[in-house]
Amino acid sequence: MAKKRGAAAPRAQKSRKTVPKKSSWKRRLFMLMLKLTLVVMVLAAAGLVYLDAQVRAKFEGKRWALPAKVYARPLELFPGQPLSRDDLKIELKGLGYQFTSQATQPGSAEWASSRVRVYTRGFNFPDGEERAQRLLIDFDGASVRRIRDDSGNQLPLARLEPVLIGGIYPKDNEDRDLIQLSEAPPHLADALIAIEDRNYYHHHGISVRGIARAMVANIKAGRFVQGGSTLTQQLIKNFYLSSERSLSRKLAEIPMAMLLDLHYSKDEILQAYLNEVYLGQEGSRAIHGFGLASQYLFAQPIRELKLHQVALMAAMVKGPSFYDPRRHPQRAKERRNLVLKVLQEQGSITPQERAAAEQQPLGVVKQQSLQKGAYPAYLDLVKRQLREEYPEEALNSEGLRVFTALDPIAQIRAENSLIEVTAKLQKRYGASINALEGGMVVSNPLSGEVLAIIGGRNTRYQGFNRALDARRPIGSLIKPAVYLAALEQGYTLASIIEDKPIEVKLPNGDVWRPQNYGRSSHGPVPLHRALSHSYNQSTARLGLEIGTGKVVDMLKRLGLQREIKEYPSMLLGSTALSPLEVAQLYQTLAGNGFQVPMRAIRMVTDSHNEELSRYSFNIQQTVKAGSVHLIQYALQEVVREGTARSVYSRLPQSLTVAGKTGTTNDQRDSWFAGFAGDRLAVVWLGLDNNKPLPLTGSSGALRVWTEFMAQAHPQPFVAERPESIQYHWVEDATGLMSGEGCEGARQLPFIEGTEPKESSGCGDNVINNPLDVFKRWFRSE
């Protein structure tokens, strides 16, 4: 027994030692779990601190990369202004005004037979705030007679807001117009909350019930199909995270939403949501925020929207593509009406308001009718000029405001002229010009401001800009530079030059033999006629006589920046230039020898309307006014008697204009450049493949130019007479001094001292009044 007890004792002892080992294992496991929990808590705390920093940094910093906004010139209205009711309608359509029976709210206009009532929207101009006001504008034919305000007071000047013509977008192509919550129309916030997050003002960033409901739906579906997101979570997803449906994104979204709700008020979060939410796609441009969506859908500022429009935008939040009112109108209408129903159920609107709103059509505008983005060729020039001074980052993210000289009325007229005339030419000449293209530049010859640009027949196309980049031989458009250089060398308009065949041996052994358009020579001709009738042989002889270097120098003084090689054929326009470069040359000719750089931008301000740069009027005289006056006379002769005389079959005889036709070898290019008192336009027509045309400058580009001028109703061109200019009667055939009433006599301007010294024997009358020649042109036969 003793042995048994002795044997039992060690076993009991062994048993007692085993218990502590088991307890030690559990303890170690507990300690490990505790440490892991602490580590997780530390990591979670660190993660929350990091997320908190991220949430606050972006929400309190520059939340969005704001594109630069580019505006047209504002339309200034004043008594006596040459502006018709149709012109005003073009402007108001560009601004998205609603034409109604009564103009009762900003952005509306009512029409009558001789007057228009406009309720302007107002605008924050760089020089001050322009308030919204009702204007009554009386017209007298094609001009403004009187402007009155709502109290009947006559106004000396009123100003409409400028058309927004486009923007310069960041790399992600997101676009938005920021709004304040206070600027949102009535019911927008109510509709958004009612349809997307009814408990928005009662939860702390997340909805536990919504998350639970989403989890059940996801488990049943076996995949991630629902998120249970609040508006705060949607903002987190769009603003901070990606839009992918994944568990990791959802796990990050929940604490970030709670942190956002912790730091910021509900109204601050809602305002950010109004500006961030994605609401559609226009080409490569993503439409974000209700401010821009209002323009995109209705072509109206958001503060002007009605209940049915607000409900449609709120309806689209759930699926901008699925409920796109342009592609799925019935689906969008049903969703809109659901929003209206919920608003009524929650007491935000009355049954009568709901019924009235449901009866309204969707009312979205066609995308192509939106003026924003309607001027790609002009916007292209603006961007190029901006990039000379501003880095790309500033242009696409700092919210700059760019004010330009674009005239929407001139732009529409130019587009209509090009489209209408090319369509008629196509109908006449058939398949040979099916792919006929064109480019056009319109400017103010007094200021150098570019008013309109057309980059191709498809005026909304954002690709190749022919007005800026299509460098084509300019043909006879170069001749004024040749003759101007000759006038500086002592020639006069009455100088007799030979128009007969000429041969020039080139360094490579070839022989250059220029020919006239009709392949006939005209013998001795006065210099002014050689230019007005565009004789090639006499021009080539004249240019070679004075030297090609003189012509190149003249082109540079007229404003050409491009380097040109000196060779004989350049005298007849083998040099390739763009329509914009040609416009610069003729700008100096129209401006009495004063070179004014072509400019599209007037001013740039920052997002707070503080001026950053002003593109002021810059001018220098590079050609003497006396010589330019002589060329202006000859260019007027071109349209009165020469190659462009068909102008006056469409324009009134009282309208003095000047210009030059241009046709290149094998009629591959059709050009016309010309100007009136306040409008200069250059037109090019041709084929991109450079094949010949059945058109000359007169039968092609000139017709576009003439149609534009007929619609534009410009001021007549008045050639200022410099002190050095005197007018004399000369015998046109010989260039000898003559007198009024003598056979073959013509009155021509001369720089003092260069008039003929010999007389034809018939009178020797000197007339110093330059208006006499124009009176003779306008005198009835």
Side-chain angles (χ1 to χ4, degrees), residues 454-469:
I454 301 175
R457 285 182 66 188
N458 182 354
T459 57
R460 301 295 180 264
Y461 179 59
Q462 300 186 23
F464 184 56
N465 189 341
R466 293 167 185 82
L468 308 185
D469 298 322

mmCIF file of all heavy atoms in Angstrom, residues 454-469:
data_model
loop_
_atom_site.group_PDB
_atom_site.id
_atom_site.type_symbol
_atom_site.label_atom_id
_atom_site.label_comp_id
_atom_site.label_asym_id
_atom_site.label_seq_id
_atom_site.Cartn_x
_atom_site.Cartn_y
_atom_site.Cartn_z
ATOM 1 N N ILE A 454 -13.366 81.664 -88.596
ATOM 2 C CA ILE A 454 -13.950 80.403 -89.055
ATOM 3 C C ILE A 454 -12.804 79.501 -89.501
ATOM 4 O O ILE A 454 -11.999 79.883 -90.337
ATOM 5 C CB ILE A 454 -14.929 80.627 -90.223
ATOM 6 C CG1 ILE A 454 -16.052 81.565 -89.795
ATOM 7 C CG2 ILE A 454 -15.508 79.304 -90.693
ATOM 8 C CD1 ILE A 454 -16.990 81.941 -90.919
ATOM 9 N N GLY A 455 -12.753 78.305 -88.923
ATOM 10 C CA GLY A 455 -11.668 77.375 -89.231
ATOM 11 C C GLY A 455 -12.017 76.362 -90.299
ATOM 12 O O GLY A 455 -11.154 75.594 -90.731
ATOM 13 N N GLY A 456 -13.268 76.326 -90.743
ATOM 14 C CA GLY A 456 -13.691 75.368 -91.767
ATOM 15 C C GLY A 456 -15.183 75.455 -91.978
ATOM 16 O O GLY A 456 -15.903 76.135 -91.223
ATOM 17 N N ARG A 457 -15.677 74.761 -93.008
ATOM 18 C CA ARG A 457 -17.116 74.819 -93.299
ATOM 19 C C ARG A 457 -17.947 74.249 -92.156
ATOM 20 O O ARG A 457 -19.051 74.707 -91.899
ATOM 21 C CB ARG A 457 -17.411 74.060 -94.594
ATOM 22 C CG ARG A 457 -16.993 74.815 -95.841
ATOM 23 C CD ARG A 457 -17.334 74.049 -97.091
ATOM 24 N NE ARG A 457 -18.783 73.929 -97.267
ATOM 25 C CZ ARG A 457 -19.347 73.177 -98.207
ATOM 26 N NH1 ARG A 457 -18.582 72.466 -99.033
ATOM 27 N NH2 ARG A 457 -20.659 73.121 -98.337
ATOM 28 N N ASN A 458 -17.422 73.243 -91.478
ATOM 29 C CA ASN A 458 -18.070 72.774 -90.257
ATOM 30 C C ASN A 458 -17.589 73.680 -89.130
ATOM 31 O O ASN A 458 -16.539 73.461 -88.525
ATOM 32 C CB ASN A 458 -17.707 71.316 -89.978
ATOM 33 C CG ASN A 458 -18.399 70.774 -88.741
ATOM 34 O OD1 ASN A 458 -19.067 71.508 -88.009
ATOM 35 N ND2 ASN A 458 -18.249 69.497 -88.487
ATOM 36 N N THR A 459 -18.354 74.726 -88.860
ATOM 37 C CA THR A 459 -17.884 75.787 -87.981
ATOM 38 C C THR A 459 -17.767 75.368 -86.521
ATOM 39 O O THR A 459 -17.183 76.094 -85.725
ATOM 40 C CB THR A 459 -18.819 77.007 -88.083
ATOM 41 O OG1 THR A 459 -20.157 76.609 -87.754
ATOM 42 C CG2 THR A 459 -18.797 77.579 -89.500
ATOM 43 N N ARG A 460 -18.340 74.219 -86.142
ATOM 44 C CA ARG A 460 -18.237 73.735 -84.761
ATOM 45 C C ARG A 460 -17.128 72.687 -84.607
ATOM 46 O O ARG A 460 -16.916 72.172 -83.518
ATOM 47 C CB ARG A 460 -19.571 73.128 -84.305
ATOM 48 C CG ARG A 460 -20.751 74.099 -84.353
ATOM 49 C CD ARG A 460 -20.567 75.229 -83.367
ATOM 50 N NE ARG A 460 -21.694 76.150 -83.405
ATOM 51 C CZ ARG A 460 -21.721 77.265 -84.105
ATOM 52 N NH1 ARG A 460 -20.664 77.594 -84.841
ATOM 53 N NH2 ARG A 460 -22.762 78.061 -84.089
ATOM 54 N N TYR A 461 -16.432 72.387 -85.689
ATOM 55 C CA TYR A 461 -15.402 71.354 -85.641
ATOM 56 C C TYR A 461 -14.187 71.866 -84.872
ATOM 57 O O TYR A 461 -13.702 72.976 -85.112
ATOM 58 C CB TYR A 461 -15.000 70.968 -87.062
ATOM 59 C CG TYR A 461 -13.915 69.908 -87.136
ATOM 60 C CD1 TYR A 461 -14.108 68.651 -86.562
ATOM 61 C CD2 TYR A 461 -12.703 70.172 -87.763
ATOM 62 C CE1 TYR A 461 -13.123 67.689 -86.638
ATOM 63 C CE2 TYR A 461 -11.709 69.211 -87.847
ATOM 64 C CZ TYR A 461 -11.924 67.969 -87.278
ATOM 65 O OH TYR A 461 -10.940 67.002 -87.342
ATOM 66 N N GLN A 462 -13.682 71.057 -83.951
ATOM 67 C CA GLN A 462 -12.585 71.480 -83.096
ATOM 68 C C GLN A 462 -11.232 70.960 -83.561
ATOM 69 O O GLN A 462 -10.277 70.954 -82.805
ATOM 70 C CB GLN A 462 -12.851 71.039 -81.659
ATOM 71 C CG GLN A 462 -14.123 71.617 -81.072
ATOM 72 C CD GLN A 462 -14.308 71.283 -79.605
ATOM 73 O OE1 GLN A 462 -13.354 70.986 -78.897
ATOM 74 N NE2 GLN A 462 -15.539 71.338 -79.132
ATOM 75 N N GLY A 463 -11.148 70.562 -84.804
ATOM 76 C CA GLY A 463 -9.887 70.027 -85.315
ATOM 77 C C GLY A 463 -9.059 71.083 -86.029
ATOM 78 O O GLY A 463 -8.826 72.170 -85.516
ATOM 79 N N PHE A 464 -8.637 70.760 -87.250
ATOM 80 C CA PHE A 464 -7.725 71.615 -88.008
ATOM 81 C C PHE A 464 -8.339 72.991 -88.233
ATOM 82 O O PHE A 464 -9.434 73.127 -88.764
ATOM 83 C CB PHE A 464 -7.419 70.949 -89.351
ATOM 84 C CG PHE A 464 -6.410 71.689 -90.186
ATOM 85 C CD1 PHE A 464 -5.149 71.982 -89.688
ATOM 86 C CD2 PHE A 464 -6.727 72.095 -91.471
ATOM 87 C CE1 PHE A 464 -4.225 72.664 -90.451
ATOM 88 C CE2 PHE A 464 -5.806 72.771 -92.256
ATOM 89 C CZ PHE A 464 -4.550 73.063 -91.732
ATOM 90 N N ASN A 465 -7.602 74.018 -87.824
ATOM 91 C CA ASN A 465 -8.080 75.401 -87.908
ATOM 92 C C ASN A 465 -7.446 76.070 -89.124
ATOM 93 O O ASN A 465 -6.317 76.542 -89.081
ATOM 94 C CB ASN A 465 -7.711 76.144 -86.625
ATOM 95 C CG ASN A 465 -8.363 77.515 -86.543
ATOM 96 O OD1 ASN A 465 -8.804 78.072 -87.534
ATOM 97 N ND2 ASN A 465 -8.420 78.056 -85.339
ATOM 98 N N ARG A 466 -8.189 76.128 -90.215
ATOM 99 C CA ARG A 466 -7.639 76.655 -91.462
ATOM 100 C C ARG A 466 -7.361 78.152 -91.388
ATOM 101 O O ARG A 466 -6.500 78.650 -92.124
ATOM 102 C CB ARG A 466 -8.586 76.324 -92.620
ATOM 103 C CG ARG A 466 -8.655 74.835 -92.890
ATOM 104 C CD ARG A 466 -9.802 74.457 -93.813
ATOM 105 N NE ARG A 466 -9.900 72.999 -93.938
ATOM 106 C CZ ARG A 466 -10.512 72.216 -93.063
ATOM 107 N NH1 ARG A 466 -11.103 72.753 -92.012
ATOM 108 N NH2 ARG A 466 -10.536 70.914 -93.230
ATOM 109 N N ALA A 467 -8.070 78.867 -90.551
ATOM 110 C CA ALA A 467 -7.823 80.306 -90.431
ATOM 111 C C ALA A 467 -6.451 80.598 -89.848
ATOM 112 O O ALA A 467 -5.841 81.630 -90.149
ATOM 113 C CB ALA A 467 -8.904 80.951 -89.572
ATOM 114 N N LEU A 468 -5.946 79.688 -89.018
ATOM 115 C CA LEU A 468 -4.649 79.891 -88.364
ATOM 116 C C LEU A 468 -3.546 79.029 -88.947
ATOM 117 O O LEU A 468 -2.373 79.437 -88.959
ATOM 118 C CB LEU A 468 -4.760 79.603 -86.859
ATOM 119 C CG LEU A 468 -5.861 80.307 -86.073
ATOM 120 C CD1 LEU A 468 -5.717 79.987 -84.595
ATOM 121 C CD2 LEU A 468 -5.832 81.802 -86.298
ATOM 122 N N ASP A 469 -3.882 77.841 -89.421
ATOM 123 C CA ASP A 469 -2.856 76.848 -89.753
ATOM 124 C C ASP A 469 -2.790 76.442 -91.225
ATOM 125 O O ASP A 469 -1.845 75.772 -91.624
ATOM 126 C CB ASP A 469 -3.064 75.587 -88.908
ATOM 127 C CG ASP A 469 -2.926 75.876 -87.426
ATOM 128 O OD1 ASP A 469 -2.059 76.690 -87.063
ATOM 129 O OD2 ASP A 469 -3.699 75.311 -86.626
#
